[in-house]
């Protein structure tokens, strides 16, 4: 049986670009441990995210999460805030690539954008997420969402701590 992650939902709309996740004025920060303090500072209504987020909480978004500029900061600020994964209907290819390269999971959940718009999942809802099956249960209202499970390769990269560590381990195994 696989692990069930439990935490509170932070709900975002469609088209959340990387400047809203982690503004470019903080790009000089190079220590990932310091990046969470700037997360979503410029997202309307979520300006206090960095002060209020707790390890285990989830970022829940609609379509095209992480669009815009390529920056690992937008992954690091969530990962180092203790967000175990991003739940989104879709995300930009570059955000997804940065997440996978850093061993950070993104679950794709069909219909999530509409569920957000219809209020079927809201800020503060308590979620139960099973990465191995992609099942998301909203314990607050009983709604269940079905995402794509984390693939075996993604899981291996996550366990290795990112793509570089995974590749080093594979090269060393030969």
């Amino acid at each position: 049986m696989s692990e069930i992650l439990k935490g509170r939902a932070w709900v975002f709309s469609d088209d959340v670009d990387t400047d809203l996740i982690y503004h470019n004025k903080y790009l000089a920060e190079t220590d990932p441990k310091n990046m969470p303090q700037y997360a979503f500072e410029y997202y309307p209504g979520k300006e206090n995210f960095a002060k209020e987020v707790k390890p285990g909480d989830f970022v829940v978004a609609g379509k095209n999460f992480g669009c815009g500029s390529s920056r690992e900061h937008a992954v690091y600020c969530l990962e180092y805030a203790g967000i175990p994964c991003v739940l989104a209907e879709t995300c930009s290819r570059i955000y997804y690539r940065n997440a996978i390269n850093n061993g950070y999971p993104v679950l794709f959940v069909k219909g999530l954008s509409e569920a957000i718009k219809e209020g079927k999942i809201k800020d503060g809802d308590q979620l139960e997420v099973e990465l191995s099956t992609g099942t998301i249960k909203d314990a607050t209202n009983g709604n269940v969402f079905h995402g794509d499970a984390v693939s075996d390769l993604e899981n291996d990269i996550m366990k290795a701590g990112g793509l570089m560590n995974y590749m080093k381990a594979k090269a060393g195994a030969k």
Side-chain angles (χ1 to χ4, degrees):
M1 187 165 175
S2 67
E3 179 184 13
I4 306 256
L5 305 172
K6 296 180 181 183
R8 175 177 54 159
W10 287 85
V11 179
F12 297 84
S13 62
D14 294 341
D15 302 314
V16 177
D17 70 44
T18 52
D19 271 337
L20 292 174
I21 300 168
Y22 190 92
H23 198 274
N24 67 13
K25 81 178 197 178
Y26 301 117
L27 291 180
E29 178 59 65
T30 58
D31 185 347
K33 293 178 189 129
N34 293 329
M35 293 177 189
Q37 67 184 316
Y38 306 118
F40 295 109
E41 181 177 317
Y42 287 94
Y43 191 97
K46 298 284 197 289
E47 297 88 354
N48 291 323
F49 175 90
K51 292 180 181 108
E52 297 174 6
V53 69
K54 294 184 177 22
D57 287 353
F58 296 98
V59 166
V60 179
K63 297 175 183 173
N64 204 25
F65 183 80
C67 57
S69 303
S70 171
R71 61 181 65 141
E72 290 179 328
H73 298 69
V75 173
Y76 290 146
C77 72
L78 301 181
E79 179 180 9
Y80 282 82
I83 305 291
C85 68
V86 169
L87 309 171
E89 183 155 345
T90 63
C91 74
S92 74
R93 292 176 57 91
I94 194 66
Y95 185 89
Y96 180 67
R97 190 73 247 158
N98 282 331
I100 295 303
N101 287 350
N102 287 290
Y104 186 67
V106 176
L107 283 186
F108 297 110
V109 185
K110 288 181 179 71
L112 197 53
S113 178
E114 202 60 37
I116 291 167
K117 290 173 188 165
E118 293 173 359
K120 292 180 180 175
I121 187 166
K122 298 178 184 167
D123 277 335
D125 284 3
Q126 294 298 311
L127 305 182
E128 298 174 2
V129 177
E130 190 171 358
L131 292 178
S132 66
T133 64
T135 302
I136 299 110
K137 181 179 179 191
D138 187 327
T140 302
N141 60 34
N143 289 327
V144 176
F145 305 94
H146 299 283
D148 296 333
V150 173
S151 74
D152 290 340
L153 177 59
E154 290 168 332
N155 195 41
D156 290 345
I157 292 170
M158 285 186 299
K159 284 181 183 174
L163 184 61
M164 291 302 289
N165 291 337
Y166 173 80
M167 296 302 289
K168 287 176 188 175
K170 289 296 250 182
K174 291 184 180 184

